[in-house]
Amino acid sequence: IESKHLPETIVKEKRENNFYKEKNLNDLLQEIEKKAIESCLDKTNWNKNKTSKLLGISRASLYKKIEQY
């Protein structure tokens, strides 16, 4: 049996578990934060004021995080 024979939910769960084993908590949090920022920026057409409000952070914090990532 190969992974292509298994349901996608099992294969996806396995991939996610391997992902977490390779990173420490700080790295995981930064990656999640980066994805949340990217998603909000896309949703607001890169309107940083709207994005910061959606995320519940100041615009200054958003700019710092954009520079960081």
Side-chain angles (χ1 to χ4, degrees):
I1 297 177
E2 296 177 7
S3 61
K4 65 183 178 183
H5 299 109
L6 298 172
E8 181 61 29
T9 54
I10 293 174
V11 175
K12 183 179 177 185
E13 185 178 315
K14 177 74 172 159
R15 277 188 238 128
E16 289 173 357
N17 286 341
N18 285 338
F19 170 78
Y20 294 123
K21 287 180 184 176
E22 297 169 4
K23 301 188 180 215
N24 65 40
L25 181 58
N26 190 45
D27 291 342
L28 289 171
L29 291 173
Q30 286 183 350
E31 192 162 325
I32 291 166
E33 185 177 60
K34 179 182 176 183
K35 287 180 182 182
I37 291 169
E38 288 174 344
S39 176
C40 286
L41 285 167
D42 286 341
K43 190 181 293 187
T44 63
N45 294 315
W46 278 77
N47 183 314
K48 293 172 188 76
N49 191 43
K50 288 180 182 178
T51 298
S52 64
K53 287 180 182 178
L54 278 174
L55 293 170
I57 61 175
S58 69
R59 257 189 19 217
S61 292
L62 177 62
Y63 277 99
K64 287 178 187 175
K65 290 178 185 295
I66 290 170
E67 270 186 43
Q68 179 183 353
Y69 300 127

